[in-house]
């Protein structure tokens, strides 16, 4: 008996849709076993993780929290997916997210306490996207002009952004009335994104912007020549060159767009749920978004659902921490296992598994 | 030096290697369907068939590279299971591949040693290598790096390496595809000698004249099945072709009343360094192709044809704007898209991965070259219907057979995909068409369709440039033929006076002015 992976004649559409679901199922089984090992009931754990947040009664606080969490994840992941489809590896969305948050906050800090109009918020969002794009272009330019690996440069720039943020909130932008805590002053209402509903829920307009981004990205990938270029460069680089597309330009474009989206997500997060700039802004959304992008099959609509699912694990993880007394790190383990299974199940789209019986009868050669 | 003791006196006594009812299945596709084949000592056995007939699959099974799904192999009447090439070599089976398995950056001597068991010292191998090379007349330059060598020289390394293992059976996969006609003649002498030593040779080919000349027995495969085993000397080339193709092969008709007009594609002293360290420098390549004619570029592969194609298509820019002129307008510094907009079209050698994106649908592959100039893109948005219509038109005009309206490119057979790739360009009615290896790996029916389409396009006034290794193909469709050697292009010869021998000498690097007299001497020796 022998297990072989056999190439399919055509990519299987059914498996392409089913593969993330299979991955999720396998993750649940694995995590259930993990819970059993540390002596918790797997059924109870899964209930706390996945059912409780969804069944929170009116005013639906936890449900809103899921969407609030999903908002930056989806927006960043959509940008990353453009890179990944084209086989360009932007690993530094976390840095672009932070730089976007800092750039947008600049205006909020400068106008703090003055009575300016709501245009401030609009300019902040533009500054955030712009800052993220510029920061994303650094590894892209290094790749195009010096052949530097964008994987390394974009990743290392995350740490630079992190330390830069740290310096700014401890130094020049620190709130003079903040009891020496490393944070800026709370943003003025004019520089903040308000909540959509009355009550304790934190759902904000940034989620609507994310939905628009998802739709624009879906149209761009499926219907425009630019989207075709991105897909072609990833699928067959030599054919893309023959097609007349310039891959260098595409590297710059995808990095700029994904940087802009990450930066926009950063400033939305700061001007929305957080309300001020502090080192806690660096919460790892830029890395989690990589999982979201792949779980969503690098498809904008898929990413929307994947982002919501990952957000559910965050909110469920917080609940589990309280009611089951398990460490929050378990959520990270969870997400790691999920990414592992997602990538493994991807091979089923192009290959199928077959059991070979003939090999069992193999006769050793008597040479 | 041969310690095999074949029964040369009674060659039909017992087969050396028998394939009994070998089948090989890939998914739903049967590459080999219950094939029987007996190979005898002191015999050159041809395995004939079109591309895709299952020849390569069968020999890979015989060399242990792939496992059959059914049937068995018998070596001297005993059943064997070959789990890898090393077991095949241990039995005494040697193989020379079509695509060489050499390390480009290593020397000839190192490459030979790497193919042998590591129990033998480098010095001992070198001594044996020199002896073998001398005995068989296969001169090697041991210290040269492989990337500097021609296809023929590389093949010699592979053959010597196989012979050093003293094989009782030598398998050669399409060996003459990388050789000039003269080099092929030398190879045949070596093979005759191997036969006289009592070794069995399995010779894979689709060139009928060659097989008739050289082989004692021929087995013909078609569509994964064995058609029959026969004596090729008792058959005509036409009867062998019928058995290979399973029907009459269509003749290509020359277009009538073609008028050759002004030059539409001009290459003027184009010199270009390769971007790959093992590539070929183009040196002062000059050529003019007029509207209404088909010009062929012959040559053994790796002599700069790929570099020339990239420079003509615009995938690589020429150093000067004036080096390439399309329809009177200088285009050397322009990219692929701009050149397409000037009415040029290109078909690269590699169908999958270069001419098409394998995992994309045909409609998307129509867009791949059509986005520049065919109304498939409006204000940055793709007109999906327009791309599908282009696929439908190509399908109809070129008889592209496929399972559904818009499948992935990779799911088409080689011949059908090639018809699509060529048809995709021809339907745009280009003024200039540059096509590389238009019928490589394509069945005879599809090849005839493609060649006819190229001639007809020229008949409508386009300039058609065909880069091909297949001299028969060029003889069939080209009005003039130039030869590429070491990055230089000879002056074109009129098709009528471009004999195989003249072309062969040019392909081997002879200077054009000397080609005629050398041809004379050659005749004298040959006769």
């Amino acid at each position: 008996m022998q297990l072989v992976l056999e190439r399919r004649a055509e990519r299987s559409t059914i498996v392409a849709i089913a593969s993330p679901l299979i991955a999720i199922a396998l993750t649940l089984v694995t995590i259930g076993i993990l819970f059993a090992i540390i002596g918790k009931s797997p059924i109870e754990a899964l209930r706390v993780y996945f059912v409780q947040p969804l069944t929170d009664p009116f005013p639906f606080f936890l449900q809103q929290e899921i969407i609030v969490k999903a908002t930056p994840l989806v927006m960043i992941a959509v940008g990353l997916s453009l890179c990944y489809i084209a086989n360009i590896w932007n690993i530094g969305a976390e840095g672009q997210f932070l730089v976007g948050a800092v750039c947008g906050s600049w205006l909020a800090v400068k106008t703090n306490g003055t009575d300016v109009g709501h245009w401030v918020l609009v300019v902040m969002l533009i500054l955030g996207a712009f800052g993220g794009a510029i920061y994303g272009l650094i590894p892209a330019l290094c790749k195009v002009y010096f052949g530097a690996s964008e994987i390394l440069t974009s990743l290392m720039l995350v740490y630079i952004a992190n330390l830069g943020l740290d310096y700014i909130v401890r130094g020049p932008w620190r709130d003079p009335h903040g009891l020496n805590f490393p944070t800026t002053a709370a943003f003025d209402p004019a520089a903040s994104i308000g909540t959509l509903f009355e009550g304790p829920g934190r759902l904000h307009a940034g989620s609507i912007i994310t939905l628009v981004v998802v739709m624009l990205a879906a149209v761009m990938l499926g219907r425009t020549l630019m989207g075709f270029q991105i897909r072609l460069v990833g699928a067959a680089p030599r054919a893309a060159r023959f097609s007349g597309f310039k891959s260098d330009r595409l590297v710059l474009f995808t990095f700029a767009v994904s940087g802009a989206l990450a930066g926009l997500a950063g400033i939305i997060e700061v001007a929305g749920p957080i309300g001020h700039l502090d080192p806690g802004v660096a919460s790892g959304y830029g890395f989690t978004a990589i999982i979201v992008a792949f779980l969503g099959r690098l498809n904008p609509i898929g990413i929307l659902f994947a982002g919501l699912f990952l957000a559910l694990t965050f909110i469920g993880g917080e609940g589990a921490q309280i009611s089951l007394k398990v460490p929050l790190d378990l959520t990270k383990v969870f997400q790691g296992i999920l990414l592992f299974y997602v990538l493994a199940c991807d091979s089923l789209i192009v290959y199928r598994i077959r059991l070979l019986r003939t090999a069992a009868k193999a006769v050793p050669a008597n040479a | 030096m041969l310690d095999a003791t074949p029964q040369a006196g009674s060659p039909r006594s017992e087969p050396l290697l028998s394939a009994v009812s070998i089948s090989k299945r890939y998914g739903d596709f049967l590459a080999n369907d219950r094939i029987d084949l007996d190979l005898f000592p002191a015999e050159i056995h041809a395995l004939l068939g079109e591309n895709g007939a299952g020849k390569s699959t069968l020999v890979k099974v015989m060399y242990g590279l792939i496992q059959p799904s059914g049937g068995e192999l018998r070596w001297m009447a005993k059943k064997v299971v070959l789990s890898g090439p090393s077991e095949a070599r241990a039995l005494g089976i040697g193989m020379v591949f079509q695509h060489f398995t050499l390390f480009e950056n290593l020397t000839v001597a190192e490459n030979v040693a790497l193919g042998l068991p590591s129990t033998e010292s480098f010095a001992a191998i070198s001594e044996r290598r020199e002896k073998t090379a001398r005995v068989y007349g296969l001169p090697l330059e041991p210290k040269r790096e492989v990337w500097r060598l021609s296809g023929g020289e590389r093949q010699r390394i592979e053959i010597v390496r196989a012979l050093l293992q003293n094989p009782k059976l030598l398998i050669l996969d399409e060996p003459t595809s990388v050789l000039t006609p003269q080099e092929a003649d030398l190879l045949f002498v070596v093979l005759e000698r191997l036969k006289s030593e009592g070794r069995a040779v399995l010779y894979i080919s689709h060139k009928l004249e060659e097989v008739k000349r050289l082989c004692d027995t021929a087995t013909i495969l078609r569509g994964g099945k064995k058609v029959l085993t026969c004596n090729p000397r008792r058959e005509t080339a036409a009867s062998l072709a019928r058995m290979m193709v399973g029907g009459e092969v269509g003749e290509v008709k020359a277009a009538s009343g073609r008028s050759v007009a002004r030059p539409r594609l001009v290459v003027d002293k184009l010199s270009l360094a390769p971007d790959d360290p093992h590539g070929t420098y183009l040196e002062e390549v000059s050529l003019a192709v007029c509207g209404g004619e088909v010009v062929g570029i012959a040559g053994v592969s790796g002599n700069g044809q790929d570099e020339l194609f990239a420079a003509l298509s615009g995938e690589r820019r020429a150093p000067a704007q004036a080096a390439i002129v399309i329809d009177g307008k200088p285009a050397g510094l322009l990219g692929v898209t701009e050149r397409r907009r000037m009415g040029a079209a290109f078909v690269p050698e590699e169908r999958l991965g270069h001419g098409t994106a394998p995992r994309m649908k045909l409609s998307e592959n129509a867009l791949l070259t059509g986005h520049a100039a065919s109304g498939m893109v409006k204000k940055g948005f793709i007109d999906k219907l327009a791309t599908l219509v282009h696929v439908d038109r190509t399908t109809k005009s070129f008889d592209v057979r496929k399972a559904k309206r818009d499948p992935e490119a990779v799911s088409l057979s080689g011949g059908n995909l090639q018809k699509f790739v060529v048809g995709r360009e021809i339907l745009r009615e280009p003024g200039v068409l540059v096509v590389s290896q238009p019928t490589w790996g394509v069945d005879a029916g599809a090849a005839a369709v493609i060649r006819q389409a190229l001639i007809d396009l020229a008949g409508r006034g386009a300039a058609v440039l065909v880069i091909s290794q297949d001299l028969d193909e060029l003889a069939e469709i080209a009005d003039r033929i130039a030869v590429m050697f070491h990055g230089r292009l000879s002056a074109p010869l009129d098709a009528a006076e471009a004999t195989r021998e003249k072309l062969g000498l040019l392909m081997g690097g002879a200077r054009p002015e000397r080609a005629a007299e050398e041809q004379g001497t050659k005749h004298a020796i040959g006769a």
Side-chain angles (χ1 to χ4, degrees):
Chain A
M1 208 87 103
Q2 204 183 351
L3 265 181
V4 289
L5 277 180
E6 202 174 73
R7 212 178 170 90
R8 292 175 195 271
E10 274 222 30
R11 187 178 281 268
S12 161
T13 324
I14 299 165
V15 180
I17 295 163
S19 119
L21 301 178
I22 300 170
I24 289 173
L26 289 170
T27 309
L28 294 186
V29 171
T30 311
I31 209 82
I33 294 170
L34 257 177
F35 273 115
I37 291 171
I38 58 172
K40 313 274 179 191
S41 152
I43 304 292
E44 173 62 11
L46 293 180
R47 195 188 68 78
V48 170
Y49 255 96
F50 295 107
V51 182
Q52 210 164 332
L54 291 175
T55 52
D56 192 35
F58 187 79
F60 308 122
F61 176 74
L62 288 183
Q63 287 90 335
Q64 288 194 37
E65 278 302 286
I66 292 172
I67 299 174
V68 169
K69 277 271 180 201
T71 295
L73 288 176
V74 171
M75 193 178 297
I76 300 169
V78 166
L80 289 181
S81 69
L82 300 184
C83 292
Y84 298 165
I85 291 170
N87 263 331
I88 296 163
W89 301 102
N90 179 5
I91 310 295
E94 177 78 3
Q96 294 140 23
F97 175 86
L98 295 180
V99 169
V102 168
C103 288
S105 299
W106 170 78
L107 190 62
V109 171
K110 289 298 157 196
T111 61
N112 199 275
T114 64
D115 193 20
V116 286
H118 250 91
W119 61 268
V120 170
L121 182 61
V122 178
V123 177
M124 279 167 65
L125 295 183
I126 293 170
L127 281 175
F130 193 71
I134 297 293
Y135 207 61
L137 277 173
I138 299 173
L141 289 168
C142 289
K143 181 184 171 72
V144 169
Y145 288 101
F146 308 114
S149 159
E150 77 276 21
I151 300 177
L152 290 176
T153 51
S154 65
L155 179 62
M156 289 190 292
L157 282 167
V158 172
Y159 304 109
I160 295 174
N162 232 321
L163 293 170
L165 167 69
D166 225 49
Y167 163 73
I168 277 175
V169 294
R170 284 171 209 277
W173 292 3
R174 189 173 58 190
D175 179 9
H177 315 293
L179 306 170
N180 253 343
F181 278 107
T183 170
T184 65
F187 290 0
D188 292 333
S192 304
I193 302 172
T195 57
L196 286 179
F197 303 110
E198 296 284 314
R202 300 199 298 163
L203 189 62
H204 56 82
S207 308
I208 297 168
I209 300 177
T210 301
L211 269 183
V212 173
V213 165
V214 166
M215 284 187 289
L216 288 180
V219 171
M220 204 246 319
L221 274 176
R223 304 252 160 237
T224 67
L225 189 62
M226 181 47 100
F228 176 67
Q229 267 189 54
I230 291 175
R231 289 185 289 125
L232 184 61
V233 166
R238 198 157 171 227
R241 209 174 325 137
F242 178 62
S243 183
F245 297 144
K246 296 177 186 65
S247 64
D248 285 353
R249 216 181 276 174
L250 201 71
V251 170
L252 299 178
F253 175 81
T254 53
F255 255 102
V257 170
S258 68
L261 288 177
L264 183 60
I267 186 59
I268 287 175
E269 194 64 10
V270 171
I274 300 178
H276 60 263
L277 191 66
D278 72 34
V281 173
S283 54
Y285 281 133
F287 293 118
T288 311
I290 298 174
I291 306 180
V292 174
F294 280 103
L295 184 63
R297 302 227 45 77
L298 303 181
N299 170 313
I301 309 294
I303 285 171
L304 183 61
F305 288 103
L308 288 169
F309 179 77
L310 258 282
L312 176 64
T313 69
F314 273 116
I315 305 301
E318 281 167 14
Q321 197 183 4
I322 295 161
S323 59
L324 296 175
K325 309 268 182 295
V326 294
L328 194 60
D329 291 338
L330 205 60
T331 308
K332 291 252 165 72
V333 173
F334 200 126
Q335 292 169 352
I337 294 173
L338 183 61
L339 179 62
F340 169 80
Y341 279 126
V342 167
L343 296 180
C345 288
D346 265 8
S347 50
L348 293 179
I349 300 168
V350 183
Y351 297 91
R352 63 179 150 211
I353 296 178
R354 262 214 185 173
L355 268 180
L356 272 193
R357 291 211 181 70
T358 42
K361 288 183 254 157
V363 181
N366 39 3
Chain B
M1 74 161 289
L2 228 196
D3 36 64
T5 50
Q7 306 90 324
S10 52
R12 283 282 156 190
S13 57
E14 184 186 86
L16 187 62
L17 180 69
S18 296
V20 184
S21 194
I22 292 284
S23 294
K24 179 65 191 178
R25 178 180 287 283
Y26 291 105
D28 302 325
F29 175 67
L30 254 184
N32 280 177
D33 187 2
R34 286 162 294 163
I35 293 177
D36 293 306
L37 184 68
D38 291 323
L39 300 178
F40 293 91
E43 181 187 83
I44 301 181
H45 192 127
L47 192 55
L48 263 174
E50 294 196 273
N51 281 289
K55 297 172 301 200
S56 290
T57 305
L58 182 62
V59 293
K60 278 181 190 160
V61 167
M62 294 170 117
Y63 193 56
L65 275 169
I66 52 180
Q67 300 304 314
S69 320
E72 60 180 48
L73 294 175
R74 292 193 195 131
W75 179 256
M76 303 204 266
K78 253 190 282 176
K79 180 183 172 179
V80 287
V81 172
L82 301 173
S83 59
S86 57
E87 287 182 19
R89 284 196 292 267
L91 285 180
I93 302 173
M95 177 140 179
V96 175
F97 290 91
Q98 185 182 6
H99 302 287
F100 299 127
T101 54
L102 300 170
F103 294 96
E104 302 255 318
N105 287 323
L106 298 184
T107 64
V108 172
E110 287 163 339
N111 266 290
V112 170
L114 272 170
L116 296 171
S118 53
T119 47
E120 203 176 347
S121 78
F122 192 72
I125 292 174
S126 296
E127 195 176 309
R128 287 212 295 135
R129 183 196 67 231
E130 274 170 30
K131 199 172 153 204
T132 307
R134 209 170 44 243
V135 168
Y136 289 95
L138 294 161
L140 294 178
E141 295 173 80
K143 296 226 165 70
R144 288 197 82 183
E145 280 146 7
V146 166
W147 63 268
R148 298 170 184 278
L149 303 180
S150 72
E153 289 169 306
R154 289 172 195 221
Q155 186 177 64
R156 286 209 287 271
I157 306 173
E158 292 251 358
I159 294 175
V160 167
R161 187 162 76 175
L163 288 179
L164 280 180
Q165 317 205 18
N166 195 16
K168 298 190 183 71
L169 164 65
L170 186 65
I171 304 173
L172 299 105
D173 192 358
E174 305 257 0
T176 53
S177 63
V178 295
L179 303 181
T180 65
Q182 285 83 357
E183 284 176 316
D185 287 342
L186 291 176
L187 172 70
F188 296 158
V189 173
V190 174
L191 296 183
E192 289 287 354
R193 178 174 178 125
L194 292 175
K195 173 186 161 186
S196 71
E197 289 172 343
R199 301 177 206 261
V201 174
L202 182 61
Y203 185 87
I204 300 159
S205 185
H206 62 259
K207 298 186 183 167
L208 306 171
E209 291 299 342
E210 228 171 75
V211 166
K212 269 175 64 67
R213 226 175 102 191
L214 180 72
C215 302
D216 309 297
T217 317
T219 295
I220 296 163
L221 301 186
R222 185 171 73 228
K225 289 197 174 84
K226 176 167 142 180
V227 179
L228 85 169
T229 298
C230 63
N231 181 343
R233 291 184 181 124
R234 294 210 191 109
E235 303 287 335
T236 63
S239 67
L240 288 172
R242 265 197 302 279
M243 288 188 274
M244 254 168 69
V245 179
E248 294 295 333
V249 183
E251 287 267 315
V252 175
K253 291 189 291 288
S256 55
R258 239 196 280 169
S259 59
V260 173
R262 72 208 147 77
R264 301 194 75 168
L265 172 66
V266 177
V267 185
D268 184 26
K269 294 206 180 101
L270 169 69
S271 297
L272 193 61
D275 52 359
D276 165 5
H278 297 167
T280 309
Y281 279 84
L282 295 180
E283 287 176 60
E284 302 210 336
V285 172
S286 294
L287 179 73
V289 188
C290 296
E293 70 169 347
V294 178
V295 172
I297 294 185
V300 176
S301 75
N303 272 297
Q305 294 96 325
D306 294 350
E307 287 81 0
L308 180 63
F309 180 84
L312 291 177
S313 70
E315 287 166 277
R316 293 210 53 219
R317 312 289 166 97
Q321 184 77 301
I324 294 168
V325 181
I326 296 172
D327 260 339
K329 292 183 212 93
L333 298 175
L334 302 181
V336 191
T337 302
E338 286 100 336
R339 294 187 196 191
R340 286 202 184 105
R341 292 207 172 111
M342 298 168 83
F346 314 96
V347 178
E349 175 178 354
E350 272 295 318
R351 289 186 279 278
L352 287 170
H354 192 177
T356 66
R359 289 275 169 192
M360 283 189 159
K361 294 183 183 308
L362 288 188
S363 59
E364 294 175 300
N365 277 304
L367 184 65
L368 195 141
T369 60
H371 66 84
S374 303
M376 294 181 189
V377 179
K378 281 164 195 142
K379 290 186 179 151
F381 281 83
I382 299 164
D383 185 344
K384 267 217 163 114
L385 192 65
T387 61
L388 267 175
V389 165
H390 197 77
V391 172
D392 291 344
R393 283 180 57 212
T394 313
T395 306
K396 214 171 140 228
S397 310
F398 287 84
D399 185 29
V400 179
R401 311 222 178 120
K402 50 196 168 66
K404 52 184 180 189
R405 188 180 180 193
D406 195 15
E408 287 178 359
V410 70
S411 70
L412 265 63
S413 75
N416 281 307
L417 186 58
Q418 186 70 11
K419 282 192 279 187
F420 173 78
V421 171
V422 173
R424 174 179 76 179
E425 306 304 327
I426 288 184
L427 277 186
R428 288 177 32 226
E429 282 299 325
V432 172
L433 179 70
V434 180
V435 46
S436 180
Q437 317 297 352
T439 61
W440 180 84
V442 160
D443 59 274
V449 170
I450 290 168
R451 288 173 189 163
Q452 189 66 56
L454 294 177
I455 290 179
D456 293 346
L457 180 69
R460 293 194 295 274
V464 178
L465 181 65
V466 179
I467 302 172
S468 178
Q469 285 182 63
D470 188 340
L471 289 183
D472 298 332
E473 170 169 273
L474 292 179
E476 204 175 334
I477 62 175
D479 302 300
R480 293 187 295 147
I481 301 175
V483 175
M484 194 129 209
F485 178 73
H486 282 191
R488 291 173 176 275
L489 190 68
S490 78
L493 305 169
D494 276 339
E497 54 184 78
T499 59
R500 288 186 79 83
E501 278 184 314
K502 250 189 211 172
L503 293 174
L505 286 170
L506 289 170
M507 284 161 74
R511 302 279 297 268
E513 56 270 29
R514 276 169 49 208
E517 50 188 275
E518 277 186 38
Q519 187 197 357
T521 5
K522 185 98 191 158
H523 256 303
I525 296 166

